[in-house]
Amino acid sequence: MWFKSYRMTFACLNRIKIYRYPWTRLYSTSRTTVDSSEVKTFLALAHRWWDEQGIYAPLHSMNDLRVPFIRDNLLKTVADHQPGKPLSGMKILDVGCGGGLLTEPLGRLGASVTGIDPVDENIKTAQQHKSFDPILDKRIEYRACSLEEIVEETTEAFDAVVASEVVEHVIDLETFIQCCCQVLKPGGSLFITTINKTQLSYALGIVFAEQIAGIVPKGTHTWEKFVSPEKLESILESNGLSVQSVAGMLYNPFSGYWHWSENTSLNYAAHAVKSGVQDHPVPDEFVFKGETEELRGQDSTNAGAQEELKK
């Protein structure tokens, strides 16, 4: 009877904890976000990641948008940075890193980056490529594992989590976002680039890009897994993440270049921040005027000085 009572009490406490803090629910090992069929697709293409004119050419050119997008939003959280290494001191997790196309540029900006991917051959390709650069070899760590395995090892460890062209391949988006939140420090940033779920994205992203033009290998995408910005924002906010910005991205298959757009009906990028105290001071230029005046007023005990600062 004592054991039964203990179990009932423990279960009750667990329910209360989950109800009060839904964003801190730990990942259950009975579920996974990795889709085994997606793993097979990318396994066959693992050797082609660094061919800039090949099937991954659009991802290479996407760096022109996504690298500055990540860098500039992260720099809003720091007071100063080192020239040439603006992200020095930051820990970034690149989820679904593939061959390291985005991991390496982030490492060159000075960040300590952990790139993870469930496809072992992708990680081998990434490790081989970074080994040619001794500096990157020290800043980047690659691991063949899932996001859930990282959650089991550590929580609140990263300043930023990047999931670029990944969420449209996972089998359980809500669990995936929950895991991203768990490994982020309070005030940390989550960056996502993905494809909207629209009729246009089906026509251009699958019918044209995969079946007609061959820009992307057939079977790379499943339209049912695409997610709209509205649904993504809902999932993010339900996990304690505040969406800061959403911007459309358009790819020109003829020029091979991407550009920003107000239109999010195809590709888009999102930046969200985990609730909590930020790890770094925020420069005045990134604080609203009213907040700046309040902070300055608190720092001064002289009423005259307060008035002078407010002018």
Side-chain angles (χ1 to χ4, degrees), residues 18-284:
I18 291 173
Y19 173 75
R20 291 180 61 188
Y21 306 104
W23 55 89
T24 60
R25 291 173 296 175
L26 293 178
Y27 164 73
S28 170
T29 54
S30 63
R31 303 176 69 185
T32 180
T33 62
V34 177
D35 189 329
S36 57
S37 63
E38 298 273 4
V39 169
K40 292 178 182 179
T41 300
F42 287 100
L43 177 62
L45 305 171
H47 64 289
R48 304 181 66 179
W49 280 104
W50 288 98
D51 179 3
E52 295 187 24
Q53 305 302 320
I55 57 172
Y56 288 123
L59 290 183
H60 281 273
S61 62
M62 187 185 285
N63 279 354
D64 292 340
L65 296 190
R66 57 185 179 176
V67 173
F69 182 71
I70 295 168
R71 177 199 64 203
D72 294 348
N73 279 293
L74 287 179
L75 288 182
K76 294 178 182 179
T77 66
V78 297
D80 50 46
H81 59 271
Q82 298 182 38
K85 297 190 295 181
L87 301 185
S88 179
M90 290 193 178
K91 291 183 62 178
I92 299 177
L93 178 66
D94 185 8
V95 183
C97 65
L101 271 57
L102 181 55
T103 320
E104 288 197 7
L106 295 175
R108 290 192 183 93
L109 291 173
S112 296
V113 191
T114 300
I116 64 171
D117 198 284
V119 182
D120 187 62
E121 291 301 315
N122 286 348
I123 294 299
K124 289 179 180 178
T125 298
Q127 287 175 330
Q128 182 182 23
H129 196 271
K130 74 145 182 172
S131 67
F132 297 117
D133 189 328
I135 295 178
L136 288 181
D137 212 23
K138 295 178 181 179
R139 294 179 185 169
I140 295 174
E141 176 191 2
Y142 287 117
R143 294 181 56 186
C145 67
S146 67
L147 175 59
E148 293 79 15
E149 291 175 77
I150 299 295
V151 173
E152 290 176 348
E153 295 174 6
T154 184
T155 58
E156 299 189 348
F158 296 94
D159 298 288
V161 172
V162 177
S164 185
E165 306 307 295
V166 171
V167 300
E168 67 270 24
H169 298 291
V170 302
I171 201 169
D172 186 340
L173 180 56
E174 294 199 16
T175 298
F176 181 84
I177 296 299
Q178 179 183 318
C179 289
C180 287
C181 185
Q182 288 172 6
V183 298
L184 269 177
K185 295 177 182 178
S189 290
L190 172 61
F191 296 96
I192 291 173
T193 69
T194 189
I195 310 174
N196 198 346
K197 190 175 183 179
T198 62
Q199 292 181 340
L200 186 61
S201 71
Y202 178 78
L204 295 181
I206 294 182
V207 177
F208 176 75
E210 294 189 17
Q211 300 174 11
I212 298 176
I215 299 172
V216 180
K218 290 183 180 180
T220 299
H221 295 113
T222 303
W223 186 79
E224 288 74 17
K225 288 185 178 180
F226 292 176
V227 59
S228 69
E230 294 78 15
K231 182 176 180 180
L232 180 62
E233 183 171 351
S234 175
I235 297 173
L236 290 169
E237 294 193 345
S238 68
N239 283 280
L241 290 151
S242 174
V243 177
Q244 305 297 300
S245 62
V246 175
M249 306 166 67
L250 292 179
Y251 179 69
N252 185 330
F254 303 104
S255 67
Y257 290 103
W258 293 83
H259 66 269
W260 294 113
S261 170
E262 294 182 0
N263 188 341
T264 60
S265 59
L266 289 172
N267 296 73
Y268 64 95
H271 171 221
V273 173
K274 181 177 179 178
S275 60
V277 179
Q278 291 187 332
D279 297 309
H280 306 284
V282 180
D284 285 347

